[in-house]
Amino acid sequence: GAGLTVHDLTVRYGSTTAAANVSLDVAPAETVAVIGPSGCGKSSTLRAVAGLAPVAEGRITLAGRDITALAAARRNIGLVPQNYAVFPHMSVAGNIGYGLRARRTPEPLRRERVRAMLDLTRLEELADRRPDQLSGGQRQRVALARALAIEPDVLLLDEPLAALDPQLRGGLRRELAAMLSATECATLIVTHDQHEALSLGSRIAILRDGHLVQFDTPQVLWNDP
Ligand code: ADP
Ligand code: ADP
């Protein structure tokens, strides 16, 4: 795995500053949860790391290498965007293999990776289904499997459980925790749910109005009035 650092990141859309001088780091195999109210810049920070939001100032490094100017497709980063981002016209296996196909991974290796991801996310029986034949939780597992299939250095999860009903959310949160503890990825997970942040993040970054106001372990944050 390779660590991620964000130095003094400012993201602007025209005259709107979505993130201002945000600095944080994620170690290999670590999960950092990013929390804060709606509109505080969580998605923009994540999307800037993925190469999908306009970086006005600052620097993003992966394993010490500056990737700020690198095209999104050339960053070894897996992104699970909000709201079940699966391709409706592709099978579960097709969705999971998509990133590998885009990277021209040879078919035997692709098949092996897809199979490993179907196994990891317990979707083996559903490989040939279309997304509209899946439950919300299953679709979300497909999105996660697709992001992990490319063996990314960094995994970015934007509110991965928010669209699920509350009964499903707890179960998938525990599954996600198990999967994250098994990967070497540096993981950033955006959530507005404190419980989710506490159970998934080894450190928590709190954003307000585009500014990072705290970044520490849950123990320190919750003992500090
Ligand atoms: P969060 O994920 O915390 O809800 P966002 O990063 O989505 O926050 O948004 C931060 C700010 O940037 C908000 O004021 C939002 O309206 C603005 N913003 C986000 N995306 C865009 C965009 N594509 N164009 C213009 N403004 C945007
Ligand atoms: P689509 O037609 O939606 O693109 P495919 O069924 O052709 O989906 O599968 C896409 C890729 O997924 C294949 O190239 C193969 O590598 C892999 N794949 C398909 N089915 C399986 C399976 N049951 N187990 C493992 N890998 C599979």
Side-chain angles (χ1 to χ4, degrees), residues 37-104:
S38 179
C40 69
K42 302 182 298 294
S43 286
S44 298
T45 300
L46 221 66
R47 291 172 55 78
V49 171
L52 301 171
V55 174
E57 285 163 50
R59 204 152 51 86
I60 297 158
T61 70
L62 188 51
R65 175 176 172 232
D66 191 334
I67 61 163
T68 320
L70 202 62
R74 312 205 43 194
R75 301 181 187 200
N76 198 29
I77 290 179
L79 171 67
V80 177
Q82 274 184 46
N83 306 322
Y84 315 131
V86 293
F87 302 122
H89 58 291
M90 282 183 202
S91 67
V92 165
N95 265 281
I96 297 173
Y98 176 82
L100 298 169
R101 189 193 293 264
R103 284 168 168 74
R104 302 184 192 287

Side-chain angles (χ1 to χ4, degrees), residues 90-91 93-94 101 107 110-111 114-115 118 127:
M90 282 183 202
S91 67
R101 189 193 293 264
E107 169 61 19
R110 197 160 78 205
R111 181 161 282 272
V114 169
R115 194 173 295 284
L118 287 167

Side-chain angles (χ1 to χ4, degrees), residues 18-167:
N21 306 105
V22 170
S23 294
L24 50 84
D25 62 282
V26 192
E30 187 189 17
T31 298
V32 168
V34 182
I35 66 173
S38 179
C40 69
K42 302 182 298 294
S43 286
S44 298
T45 300
L46 221 66
R47 291 172 55 78
V49 171
L52 301 171
V55 174
E57 285 163 50
R59 204 152 51 86
I60 297 158
T61 70
L62 188 51
R65 175 176 172 232
D66 191 334
I67 61 163
T68 320
L70 202 62
R74 312 205 43 194
R75 301 181 187 200
N76 198 29
I77 290 179
L79 171 67
V80 177
Q82 274 184 46
N83 306 322
Y84 315 131
V86 293
F87 302 122
H89 58 291
M90 282 183 202
S91 67
V92 165
N95 265 281
I96 297 173
Y98 176 82
L100 298 169
R101 189 193 293 264
R103 284 168 168 74
R104 302 184 192 287
T105 303
E107 169 61 19
L109 189 55
R110 197 160 78 205
R111 181 161 282 272
E112 189 187 308
R113 272 309 286 168
V114 169
R115 194 173 295 284
M117 292 300 102
L118 287 167
D119 184 52
L120 177 74
T121 53
R122 299 188 295 105
L123 292 166
E124 303 97 326
E125 308 299 312
L126 306 175
D128 298 323
R129 294 248 191 120
R130 307 269 147 183
D132 63 3
Q133 301 170 303
L134 302 177
S135 71
Q138 289 166 343
R139 276 200 292 273
Q140 205 53 341
R141 298 218 295 270
V142 175
L144 186 66
R146 191 180 61 196
L148 287 171
I150 61 164
E151 299 184 87
D153 293 314
V154 176
L155 179 64
L156 304 173
L157 306 170
D158 197 348
E159 301 264 11
L161 308 176
L164 301 177
D165 53 63
Q167 295 96 309

Side-chain angles (χ1 to χ4, degrees), residues 179-202:
M179 280 184 243
L180 293 180
S181 68
T183 77
E184 288 299 304
C185 295
T187 301
L188 268 176
I189 179 168
V190 164
T191 174
H192 60 252
D193 182 332
Q194 261 192 30
H195 187 58
E196 215 170 281
L198 278 170
S199 61
L200 295 171
S202 63

